[in-house]
Amino acid sequence: FLGAGAAFAQPLPAAAPVNVVVVSASAQLEVPQDWVTMTLSTSRDGSDAAAVQSQLRQAVDAALAVAKPQASAQQLEVKTGSFGVYPRHGSNGRIVGWQGSAELVLEGRDFVRISTTAGKITSMGVGNVAFSLSREAQQKLESEVQASAIERFKAKAVEVAKAFGFEGYTLREVSVSPADQGERPMYRMRAASVAQAPADASIPVEAGKSLVTVSVSGSVQLR
């Protein structure tokens, strides 16, 4: 029981921070892309769904027979892509035939082996070529760029503190942005049909570069 005249202690309002500034810095690094993903595809059309599916399977098996002996971890990896058979409808809405497509994906670091293998596959044609950074290269690059961005942030904070007549700073809060990878796909490929491409012809490819950027921002207390 509190007697008359007793008073509850009220918390004092927090003092507004003074001599606090917001600092930001970023770092970026551009490196050649070291990973290529080449997608080969083929399509078939016919009146019988089973026949179309069988033809697609034969095309994929023939491509695998060429590609799998060349496979090597990280250098040339082989995997099947999409595979499907769908009805083709006439003007009356009834099924008048079947069409299907299949894909085979070649990817890895060895551009020469991948392009040469793709050129030897006659049952499928090159539909798409994409370049990127391998997982290992991207992780290493992000770590390097992040470290550089943090060092730039610290140097800028010291510079700002001295400019305002202070000896240094204390870090209050900071935010490090995730790495932003900008693709610059400067590549070339020959869009030759399977019938036009010689059996031993390689597919010319040329990778571009990836630009990775990391930003650091936060507030510091000048002291």
Side-chain angles (χ1 to χ4, degrees):
F1 176 76
L2 297 175
F8 292 98
Q10 298 292 328
L12 296 175
V18 295
N19 301 329
V20 175
V21 297
V22 175
V23 179
S24 62
S26 63
Q28 62 182 25
L29 184 61
E30 187 177 62
V31 296
Q33 295 162 331
D34 66 338
W35 191 268
V36 62
T37 300
M38 186 174 292
T39 303
L40 287 75
S41 62
T42 189
S43 60
R44 296 290 188 276
D45 189 283
S47 58
D48 181 70
V52 172
Q53 180 173 310
S54 177
Q55 292 170 11
L56 289 173
R57 173 53 60 191
Q58 291 174 11
V60 173
D61 288 344
L64 286 171
V66 176
K68 290 181 70 174
Q70 303 300 321
S72 176
Q74 296 291 313
Q75 302 305 309
L76 193 168
E77 299 183 355
V78 182
K79 64 181 180 181
T80 55
S82 64
F83 186 106
V85 178
Y86 313 95
R88 181 162 46 83
H89 297 86
S91 57
N92 57 3
R94 294 183 177 181
I95 296 176
V96 296
W98 296 84
Q99 57 188 8
S101 61
E103 292 181 341
L104 182 70
V105 180
L106 310 179
E107 60 182 352
R109 300 174 184 271
D110 193 335
F111 291 8
V112 174
R113 183 186 300 190
I114 291 172
S115 62
T116 300
T117 301
K120 292 179 179 179
I121 295 175
T122 59
S123 61
M124 308 181 82
V126 177
N128 183 63
V129 179
F131 294 90
S132 61
L133 289 177
S134 62
R135 182 177 302 177
E136 295 78 10
Q138 184 171 345
Q139 291 175 345
K140 181 176 183 292
L141 181 61
E142 288 178 359
S143 296
E144 292 177 358
V145 177
Q146 178 175 289
S148 178
I150 291 174
E151 288 302 316
R152 290 187 179 185
F153 175 89
K154 292 161 63 177
K156 192 170 184 179
V158 170
E159 179 183 345
V160 170
K162 291 183 177 179
F164 281 105
F166 294 84
E167 293 183 357
Y169 70 93
T170 301
L171 186 65
R172 289 175 57 88
E173 59 182 24
V174 67
S175 173
V176 180
S177 73
D180 177 24
Q181 179 177 326
E183 298 282 341
R184 297 189 177 185
M186 299 178 291
Y187 62 84
R188 58 189 176 90
M189 61 172 287
R190 182 178 55 215
S193 67
V194 174
Q196 295 172 332
D200 60 349
S202 62
I203 308 299
V205 294
E206 182 179 347
K209 294 183 177 180
S210 284
L211 181 67
V212 174
T213 302
V214 174
S215 299
V216 179
S217 61
S219 60
V220 297
Q221 177 81 52
L222 304 182
R223 57 176 176 77

